[in-house]
Amino acid sequence: MDIYTIIFLALAVFIFLRLRSVLGQRTGNERPPFDRTAARNALGGAQDNNVVTVPGKVIDQAPLAPTAEPTAPADRWKGLAEPGTALAQGLDSIVEKDSSFDPRHFLSGARGAYEMIVLAFANGDRRALRDLLSSDVYDSFDAAIKERERNEQKTETRFVSIDKAELVGAELRDRNAQLTVRFVSQMISVTRDKTGNIVDGSAETVADITDIWTFARDTSSRDPNWKLVGTGSAN
């Protein structure tokens, strides 16, 4: 073996040892590559296409989870509407246009929207109201707030409970789905003038309130949210 071969071998061994010291070697105990999807699922993270509820968008239209077997027509609206009633037929017509429609999910959001709208009206929070109301209903609420402001009055409202939120009407008008909900609640509400004197309501009396509100949504729209389009009261 000549001197040049020895030199090249020595150089190759030197380079191998240097690389080994820098890069290390596999021992079988290395940590596996980081799996972002698995980590997100382990922490209970939502999938990217889930709807996230934000203020001003309380009633959204979440898709129904797939089921192994289709629900029998007679049981589809069990606990919500009796088979053959106008309410059940209205719900059927809405789901025919929008298969993701879930009235139970809607009612859950409607409870939150009801409380938010009542409190926003009492506080004169026009920004919150604008996102939750149709233009006609917003104009009506805004006029009442302006009247209160002209009289230098302030309203204080506090919910004690929302005892019931039930569907009492459902219909499809062209592409527009409309759902009417009866809310039964208990609240304390009082209106005071600029000196603090009570001009309406009571600061101590719990009132039983029944409101009948109608919400609407364009089933052909990509916007998943419902808006309040009509109000009424049974009190």
Side-chain angles (χ1 to χ4, degrees):
M1 194 179 291
D2 59 29
I3 184 65
Y4 293 107
T5 301
I6 294 174
I7 291 173
F8 284 128
L9 287 174
L11 183 60
V13 170
F14 174 75
I15 293 173
F16 172 75
L17 292 175
R18 289 289 295 171
L19 288 173
R20 181 185 178 90
S21 65
V22 173
L23 300 177
Q25 58 182 328
R26 297 184 65 84
T27 64
N29 296 319
E30 292 81 5
R31 301 175 70 177
F34 179 65
D35 186 337
R36 294 181 183 273
T37 301
R40 181 175 58 191
N41 292 339
L43 292 172
Q47 297 297 322
D48 294 339
N49 62 352
N50 279 3
V51 176
V52 179
T53 304
V54 296
K57 294 188 176 182
V58 178
I59 311 178
D60 60 20
Q61 185 65 44
L64 288 171
T67 57
E69 297 179 359
T71 304
D75 298 330
R76 174 183 278 177
W77 312 125
K78 187 175 182 179
L80 296 173
E82 293 295 324
T85 61
L87 176 57
Q89 293 171 1
L91 293 174
D92 285 338
S93 64
I94 293 173
V95 82
E96 285 177 5
K97 282 286 187 180
D98 183 359
S99 60
S100 68
F101 172 63
D102 181 355
R104 293 174 179 82
H105 178 85
F106 165 83
L107 281 175
S108 177
R111 291 175 70 98
Y114 175 65
E115 182 173 1
M116 181 179 286
I117 291 170
V118 169
L119 295 180
F121 173 69
N123 296 329
D125 187 349
R126 292 180 173 88
R127 183 175 181 179
L129 292 172
R130 193 179 294 278
D131 289 334
L132 294 164
L133 313 179
S134 68
S135 58
D136 289 344
V137 175
Y138 175 81
D139 289 344
S140 177
F141 277 44
D142 182 51
I145 293 172
K146 286 178 179 177
E147 179 67 18
R148 202 165 60 206
E149 291 171 342
R150 280 194 294 269
N151 295 327
E152 298 183 275
Q153 298 174 346
K154 290 187 176 181
T155 298
E156 304 163 6
T157 298
R158 178 168 61 89
F159 274 91
V160 177
S161 64
I162 299 178
D163 301 321
K164 184 181 293 185
E166 61 178 351
L167 284 172
V168 295
E171 64 177 318
L172 186 69
R173 295 183 177 180
D174 294 327
R175 298 175 304 179
N176 292 314
Q178 293 195 0
L179 295 173
T180 301
V181 184
R182 179 190 290 118
F183 297 98
V184 179
S185 65
Q186 293 184 324
M187 65 179 77
I188 297 173
S189 186
V190 60
T191 300
R192 302 178 186 272
D193 62 20
K194 63 181 179 180
T195 62
N197 293 321
I198 296 176
V199 295
D200 188 35
S202 170
E204 299 178 353
T205 302
V206 177
D208 295 321
I209 305 295
T210 300
D211 285 313
I212 300 174
W213 287 10
T214 299
F215 299 88
R217 174 180 175 270
D218 184 344
T219 58
S220 65
S221 172
R222 296 177 63 86
D223 183 354
N225 301 292
W226 298 73
K227 288 194 174 185
L228 179 65
V229 298
T231 62
S233 176
N235 295 92

